């Protein structure tokens, strides 16, 4: 009974799109980072959609605590067997926490991009910046359109 309730609760927070899952309670940038807003702080990571397209993450480079971030600017990189990609900040602000577990276990992003695979927590300079990010439905449509464009090429 308990696991059935847990599964129902989890399903209510997910929006499934093809193989990748989109979390309902977070915002998304066009560069495929997610941002979970809690007051003036934001937890940031890469979406499962991005992780699926990049491949399995084998290395992560993240900023130091205290680093100042600018919305849209790169704050780190993820390496897969296929490529190295920049991670962009969806908001401006100061890094107040870094997921140091990713240094020794970058694979946490592969299995749990929204929970254990979070990257940084940022204290926002301007909370209104999150208004420019997409909700889960907008992001799902954005990903579908992007995949349709890729299929045409």
């Amino acid at each position: 009974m308990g696991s059935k309730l847990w599964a129902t609760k989890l399903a209510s927070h997910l929006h499934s799109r093809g193989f990748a899952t989109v979390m309902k309670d977070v915002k998304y940038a066009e560069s495929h980072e997610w941002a979970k807003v809690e007051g003036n702080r934001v937890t940031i990571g890469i979406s499962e959609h991005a992780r699926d397209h990049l491949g399995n993450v084998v290395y992560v480079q993240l900023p130091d605590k205290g680093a100042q971030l600018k919305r849209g600017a790169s704050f780190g990189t993820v390496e897969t067997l296929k490529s190295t990609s920049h991670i962009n900040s969806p908001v401006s602000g100061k890094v107040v926490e870094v997921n140091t577990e990713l240094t020794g276990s970058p694979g946490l992003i592969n299995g749990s991009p929204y929970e254990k695979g979070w990257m940084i927590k940022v204290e926002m300079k301007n909370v209104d910046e999150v208004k420019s990010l997409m909700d889960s439905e907008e992001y799902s449509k954005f990903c579908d359109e992007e995949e349709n464009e890729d299929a045409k090429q």
Side-chain angles (χ1 to χ4, degrees), residues 58-103:
V58 295
Y59 177 76
V60 180
Q61 179 186 8
L62 298 173
D64 294 327
K65 186 176 176 180
Q68 294 292 326
L69 305 181
K70 185 175 179 180
R71 184 175 90 173
S74 173
F75 69 78
T77 57
V78 290
E79 258 182 56
T80 66
L81 296 176
K82 295 193 264 183
S83 65
T84 299
S85 301
H86 287 278
I87 313 159
N88 300 319
S89 183
V91 297
S92 300
K94 181 172 110 179
V95 176
V96 293
E97 193 174 340
V98 177
N99 187 351
T100 55
E101 284 190 52
L102 295 180
T103 304

Side-chain angles (χ1 to χ4, degrees), residues 97-142:
E97 193 174 340
V98 177
N99 187 351
T100 55
E101 284 190 52
L102 295 180
T103 304
S105 301
L108 291 171
I109 296 168
N110 301 325
S112 183
Y114 298 107
E115 288 87 24
K116 294 178 183 174
W118 66 271
M119 296 177 171
I120 59 173
K121 295 186 181 190
V122 174
E123 191 173 281
M124 291 183 283
K125 273 187 180 175
N126 179 357
V127 294
D128 287 338
E129 284 183 341
V130 296
K131 291 178 183 176
S132 67
L133 301 174
M134 294 177 273
D135 65 21
S136 62
E137 287 186 26
E138 292 168 322
Y139 182 65
S140 289
K141 289 177 188 171
F142 174 79

Side-chain angles (χ1 to χ4, degrees), residues 4-68:
K4 188 174 183 180
L5 178 62
W6 177 84
T8 303
K9 187 174 181 182
L10 178 63
S12 71
H13 290 287
L14 301 175
H15 182 262
S16 186
R17 51 164 321 280
F19 296 106
T21 299
V22 175
M23 296 292 289
K24 288 184 178 178
D25 61 343
V26 300
K27 299 287 191 174
Y28 296 88
E30 287 186 2
S31 51
H32 301 287
E33 293 82 14
W34 58 265
K36 182 171 184 165
V37 181
E38 298 167 289
N40 70 334
R41 290 193 175 194
V42 176
T43 303
I44 298 170
I46 61 169
S47 71
E48 187 172 338
H49 176 81
R51 209 270 325 141
D52 284 351
H53 281 274
L54 293 172
N56 284 337
V57 176
V58 295
Y59 177 76
V60 180
Q61 179 186 8
L62 298 173
D64 294 327
K65 186 176 176 180
Q68 294 292 326

